[in-house]
């Protein structure tokens, strides 16, 4: 995997932690600079992201597509509503929510495109380099079998 893949995955995890903190602070009743758009969908989004991140770490295209779909559906509506509301007034909190919504759409799209166009979809999780040469090497098994077949001795 490339450094870009690692960075996008780490940014996605950091953004998920940020959104979990926003949801937790909002439900506890403490004032925070960021307010969730829809608290029930926000909580569902936080919990739905956990299996999506596992699939993204395993470089699964279906998990990345689902991750992109739920984030674009949630933050895309916020971007659309903010752009339509720009004509009225734009204050600091609206521009901050717009920026966070844009980040919430860009990270999953980059993650999906990275997994889609990556030629070598290798998992971050799993794999042991010290034993992969033996267990995942079919050419070695074929050469060993051919060599074993030639060294048969005849008993008379």
């Amino acid at each position: 995997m490339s450094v870009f893949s690692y960075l996008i995955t780490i940014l996605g995890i950091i953004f998920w932690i940020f959104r979990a903190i926003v949801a937790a602070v909002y439900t506890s009743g403490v004032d925070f600079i960021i307010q969730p758009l829809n608290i029930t969908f926000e909580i569902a989004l936080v919990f739905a992201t956990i299996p999506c991140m596992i699939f993204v770490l395993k470089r699964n295209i279906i998990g990345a597509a689902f991750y992109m779909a739920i984030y674009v559906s949630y933050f895309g509506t916020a971007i659309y509503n903010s752009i339509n509301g720009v004509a009225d007034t734009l204050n600091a909190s609206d521009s901050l929510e717009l920026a966070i919504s844009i980040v919430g759409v860009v990270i999953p799209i980059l993650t999906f495109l990275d997994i889609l166009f990556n030629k070598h979809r290798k998992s971050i999780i799993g794999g042991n380099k010290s034993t992969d040469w033996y267990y995942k090497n079919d050419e070695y098994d074929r050469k060993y079998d051919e060599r074993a077949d030639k060294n048969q001795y005849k008993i008379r």
Side-chain angles (χ1 to χ4, degrees), residues 47-57 60 63-64 66-68 70:
F47 284 110
T49 305
I50 295 170
C52 290
M53 277 298 155
I54 292 171
F55 285 126
V56 165
L57 289 173
N60 187 340
F66 185 66
Y67 173 61
M68 182 184 69
I70 60 175

Side-chain angles (χ1 to χ4, degrees), residues 75-113:
F75 290 111
T77 57
I79 291 171
Y80 179 74
N81 293 338
S82 295
I83 290 174
N84 283 342
V86 167
D88 300 0
T89 58
L90 184 66
N91 54 14
S93 66
D94 289 339
S95 62
L96 183 62
E97 287 181 12
L98 178 64
I100 290 173
S101 296
I102 290 171
V103 169
V105 168
V106 169
I107 290 175
I109 289 173
L110 288 177
T111 302
F112 177 74
L113 292 176

Side-chain angles (χ1 to χ4, degrees), residues 1 4-20 44-71 75 103-112 114-115 122-126:
M1 283 185 35
F4 180 74
S5 299
Y6 284 119
L7 289 176
I8 291 298
T9 305
I10 289 170
L11 282 175
I13 292 171
I14 290 171
F15 189 75
W16 172 77
I17 292 169
F18 172 70
R19 294 312 295 182
L45 183 76
V46 167
F47 284 110
T49 305
I50 295 170
C52 290
M53 277 298 155
I54 292 171
F55 285 126
V56 165
L57 289 173
K58 291 186 176 228
R59 311 305 286 168
N60 187 340
I61 194 74
I62 304 297
F66 185 66
Y67 173 61
M68 182 184 69
I70 60 175
Y71 269 73
F75 290 111
V103 169
V105 168
V106 169
I107 290 175
I109 289 173
L110 288 177
T111 302
F112 177 74
D114 177 47
I115 293 175
K122 293 186 179 178
S123 172
I124 295 174
I125 300 172

